[in-house]
Amino acid sequence: MKSYAIAAALLVCAAQAGAEAEVGITRDLPKVTVESASGPAVIERIQDPAHEISGEWARTSRPCPDFCIQPFTPAPGVATIGELELIALLQDPDAVVIDSRTPDWFEGGTIPGAINIPYTYVIDELAQLGCEPDFDGWDCAQAKRVALFCNGIWCGQSPTAIRNMIGAGYPPERIFYYRGGMQVWRLLGLTVTGGG
């Protein structure tokens, strides 16, 4: 009888372990831990298969202008990436992931590990990204690899920031554009830190 109870307990544990990873990031990656300003943060997907996005993030139509669909590539030489590539950059201590939205959007919720540099101030903050001021503006020979995102494929904040960075001398091959932004991040049920 004792071995039956042990076997039953093992089956329950196995079922619970399987339930914990029911909605993984990938088949082999249930979750990942990244560094953030407030310490380690876990990125995982919402485990409720019936979960739906709502409110602002469920809106499909926004007036254009101002919310026009953005091009897949915001500037020549810039690589457009998806969620898995963004997660890899979040885990890279030498890369910087930038939420280029205005502070009110950032405070309403962001991707764990991202820093907020609003698109309107990105040129003023190039020193944070490995550039050095010089007489002609910026020397970005030692620029870090950066990924920028904003609200989604209808948001022009990160494309504007990217074009301004390149105009100031940032090498486009060191810039990555997460086009899906917060809307697709939320659509996939990935962890959001901050507001709701």
Side-chain angles (χ1 to χ4, degrees):
M1 188 68 160
K2 187 176 183 180
S3 55
Y4 174 75
I6 292 172
L10 288 174
L11 284 174
V12 169
C13 289
Q16 288 173 341
E20 288 178 33
E22 183 176 327
V23 182
I25 295 172
T26 69
R27 180 181 303 240
D28 300 322
L29 185 67
K31 59 186 170 183
V32 66
T33 301
V34 300
E35 287 302 318
S36 72
S38 58
V42 175
I43 295 175
E44 60 187 334
R45 293 178 67 197
I46 295 169
Q47 293 301 300
D48 177 4
H51 181 266
E52 295 179 351
I53 58 174
S54 61
E56 184 69 24
W57 305 107
R59 290 179 57 201
T60 61
S61 301
R62 291 171 169 80
C64 172
D66 296 317
F67 305 101
C68 301
I69 296 172
Q70 297 299 307
F72 187 76
T73 303
V78 173
T80 300
I81 61 172
E83 295 71 31
L84 299 179
E85 295 83 6
L86 185 68
I87 289 169
L89 286 166
L90 284 163
Q91 293 178 291
D92 181 348
D94 296 324
V96 179
V97 174
I98 300 169
D99 182 334
S100 62
R101 301 175 302 159
T102 56
D104 55 325
W105 281 104
F106 178 78
E107 291 163 9
T110 192
I111 294 171
I115 64 168
N116 185 221
I117 301 178
Y119 75 105
T120 52
Y121 299 109
V122 72
I123 301 303
D124 299 331
E125 301 298 330
L126 290 180
Q128 279 189 68
L129 308 177
C131 297
E132 298 278 338
D134 71 10
F135 294 112
D136 295 325
W138 292 95
D139 174 1
C140 294
Q142 301 300 316
K144 296 178 181 182
R145 292 184 325 132
V146 296
L148 286 85
F149 69 90
C150 50
N151 281 320
I153 60 177
W154 46 270
C155 180
Q157 294 175 82
S158 51
T160 298
I162 289 168
R163 289 187 289 271
N164 289 341
M165 290 170 69
I166 292 169
Y170 212 94
E173 66 275 5
R174 311 269 316 149
I175 301 174
F176 300 87
Y177 171 44
Y178 173 45
R179 184 174 182 252
M182 289 305 299
Q183 188 167 32
V184 173
W185 188 265
R186 288 178 183 266
L187 176 66
L188 293 171
L190 288 160
T191 304
V192 173
T193 59

